């Protein structure tokens, strides 16, 4: 008989960034309970450093501990955006409208390329693939890598068969700095941020890092930025053209011309305006560092509710 208070499995939502790598290592060494699976949702356009790090932690941490890392995907976010025949869940692109006003496109990519394939994999693990109904009380405990300093991002999943847990907050009371120090002690000081190569939420530091240390990847994102100037190809092909221009960088100029080496006057003004509602220095830090936790499921900046009946629900 199913116990409604005990999970059928423990899984880790593994973005291969700082916090989720910390959780994998803590579980593997026995400092936290053993997880049954770690699931990595691959957008198809992760930085090469993320893929290399994933291979390393699988080889050095997960496999010796007997923890399977499952890779799941629903497509390639870069290719899908440029393919007029492919359904595409939009990225949060920066828009310059025809009248000069700034805007952003809706962010659906986390739901489509991260959350949806994880839900599908969880259903398969539980033995109830969609559209089967999952019996009441059958669920997985899903670990999400949110640390103490990001506690406001902690939330539950929107389906009954997944219960989110945040061990870095509940069990460890660790900040991101604590995670970084722990990874350094494990020889993993070079753990990267987890986000798509061309994520619009990159800070200037991340853009500079790609430009200065990975010319091939820089050429890739510059080419992509130019290719989506009129919006994504599927929308244009379906008769819903973008009424303006789209950009990867918040300055709303082509990426290879964007002011990633300094703060613009407009950005400085925006920082000053934001100080009324945010901690001093935080807006400027965001301009430079981007999303602290990368774009892992359930932690991406600007997360939109993944309602049970939408395209990404996989409910029941």
């Amino acid at each position: 008989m199913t116990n409604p208070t005990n999970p059928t499995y423990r899984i880790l939502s593994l973005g291969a960034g700082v916090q989720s790598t910390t959780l994998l290592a803590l579980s593997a060494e026995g400092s936290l309970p053993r997880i049954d699976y770690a699931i990595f949702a691959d957008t198809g356009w992760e930085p090469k450093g993320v893929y290399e790090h994933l291979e390393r932690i699988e080889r050095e941490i997960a496999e010796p501990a007997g923890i399977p890392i499952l890779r799941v995907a629903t497509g390639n976010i870069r290719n899908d955006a440029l393919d007029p025949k492919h359904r595409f869940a939009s990225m949060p692109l920066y828009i310059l409208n025809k009248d000069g006003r700034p805007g952003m496109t809706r962010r659906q990519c986390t739901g489509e390329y991260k959350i949806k394939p994880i839900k599908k994999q969880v259903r398969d693990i539980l033995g109830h693939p969609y559209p089967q109904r999952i019996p009441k009380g059958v669920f997985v405990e899903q670990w999400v890598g949110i640390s103490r300093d990001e506690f406001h991002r902690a939330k539950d999943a929107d389906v009954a068969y997944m219960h989110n847990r945040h061990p870095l907050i509940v069990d460890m009371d660790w900040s991101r700095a604590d995670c970084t120090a722990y990874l350094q002690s494990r020889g993993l000081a070079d753990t990267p941020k987890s986000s798509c190569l061309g994520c619009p939420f990159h800070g200037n530091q991340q853009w500079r890092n790609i430009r200065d240390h990975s010319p091939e990847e820089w050429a890739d994102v510059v080419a992509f930025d130019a290719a989506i100037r009129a919006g994504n190809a599927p929308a244009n092909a379906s008769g819903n053209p973008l009424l303006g221009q789209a950009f990867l960088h918040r300055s709303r100029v082509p990426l290879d011309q964007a002011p990633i080496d300094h703060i613009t006057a407009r950005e400085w003004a925006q920082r000053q305006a934001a100080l009324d509602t945010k901690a001093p220095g935080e807006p400027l830090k965001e301009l430079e560092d981007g999303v602290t936790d990368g774009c892992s499921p359930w932690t991406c900046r600007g997360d939109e509710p993944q309602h049970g009946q939408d395209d990404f629900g996989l409910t029941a």
Side-chain angles (χ1 to χ4, degrees):
M1 185 173 181
T2 300
N3 186 335
T5 63
N6 292 330
T8 307
Y9 297 101
R10 287 191 181 93
I11 68 167
L12 167 64
S13 176
L14 179 64
V18 169
Q19 280 95 333
S20 64
T21 297
T22 297
L23 286 176
L24 177 66
L26 288 172
S27 175
E29 72 181 19
S31 296
L32 287 174
R34 181 61 52 87
I35 54 174
D36 298 293
Y37 300 96
I39 303 178
F40 176 78
D42 186 1
T43 65
W45 201 28
E46 308 289 330
K48 63 181 180 181
V50 169
Y51 290 120
E52 290 170 354
H53 178 72
L54 180 64
E55 292 291 335
R56 181 186 176 189
I57 60 177
E58 181 173 39
R59 181 177 64 252
E60 298 181 6
I61 297 176
E63 287 182 352
I67 300 173
I69 293 182
L70 308 178
R71 292 166 174 79
V72 298
T74 55
N76 181 300
I77 190 170
R78 186 194 195 283
N79 295 344
D80 294 348
L82 303 181
D83 182 356
K85 297 180 181 179
H86 198 285
R87 177 186 177 277
F88 178 67
S90 68
M91 298 169 64
L93 302 173
Y94 295 97
I95 303 302
L96 187 63
N97 292 295
K98 289 185 176 181
D99 61 3
R101 290 183 299 110
M104 287 196 79
T105 55
R106 186 183 179 196
R107 186 195 60 81
Q108 299 175 306
C109 48
T110 303
E112 175 72 5
Y113 292 93
K114 297 269 187 184
I115 295 176
K116 181 179 179 179
I118 289 176
K119 286 180 176 179
K120 182 178 184 301
Q121 181 66 70
V122 166
R123 280 180 152 275
D124 290 344
I125 289 172
L126 291 174
H128 298 280
Y130 187 79
Q132 291 183 20
R133 191 163 194 85
I134 297 179
K136 185 177 180 180
V138 175
F139 67 95
V140 300
E141 178 181 283
Q142 175 177 237
W143 291 9
V144 181
I146 298 178
S147 48
R148 184 185 66 225
D149 41 330
E150 294 287 336
F151 73 92
H152 57 281
R153 293 184 180 177
K155 62 190 74 171
D156 205 355
D158 66 326
V159 287
Y161 59 85
M162 297 169 68
H163 294 187
N164 284 356
R165 182 174 175 80
H166 308 91
L168 292 175
I169 300 173
V170 176
D171 301 287
M172 307 302 294
D173 192 30
W174 276 12
S175 66
R176 182 181 177 85
D178 293 323
C179 295
T180 300
Y182 169 75
L183 292 177
Q184 288 175 338
S185 73
R186 293 288 304 262
L188 294 165
D190 58 349
T191 297
K193 289 186 178 181
S194 57
S195 59
C196 289
L197 184 62
C199 179
F201 289 150
H202 283 342
N204 287 338
Q205 182 184 61
Q206 291 164 285
W207 290 125
R208 287 196 306 272
N209 185 64
I210 298 171
R211 180 196 64 188
D212 298 343
H213 301 288
S214 186
E216 205 172 291
E217 290 185 318
W218 178 247
D220 185 21
V221 292
V222 166
F224 180 81
D225 174 70
I228 51 86
R229 193 71 69 238
N232 67 72
N236 289 317
S238 65
N240 296 296
L242 181 68
L243 301 178
Q245 292 184 306
F247 302 87
L248 287 182
H249 192 266
R250 69 183 72 221
S251 63
R252 295 172 175 84
V253 300
L255 185 58
D256 57 352
Q257 303 171 34
I260 64 176
D261 291 301
H262 63 276
I263 302 299
T264 67
R266 172 179 287 185
E267 290 170 340
W268 184 260
Q270 290 173 339
R271 172 187 181 270
Q272 298 305 310
L275 289 180
D276 291 338
T277 57
K278 291 188 175 183
E282 184 178 343
L284 184 61
K285 186 176 187 298
E286 289 179 357
L287 289 172
E288 180 67 8
D289 296 342
V291 180
T292 301
D293 298 314
C295 198
S296 298
W298 295 280
T299 66
C300 181
R301 180 211 306 265
D303 269 343
E304 298 164 359
Q306 300 300 321
H307 298 297
Q309 300 304 315
D310 69 8
D311 290 342
F312 312 136
L314 297 182
T315 59

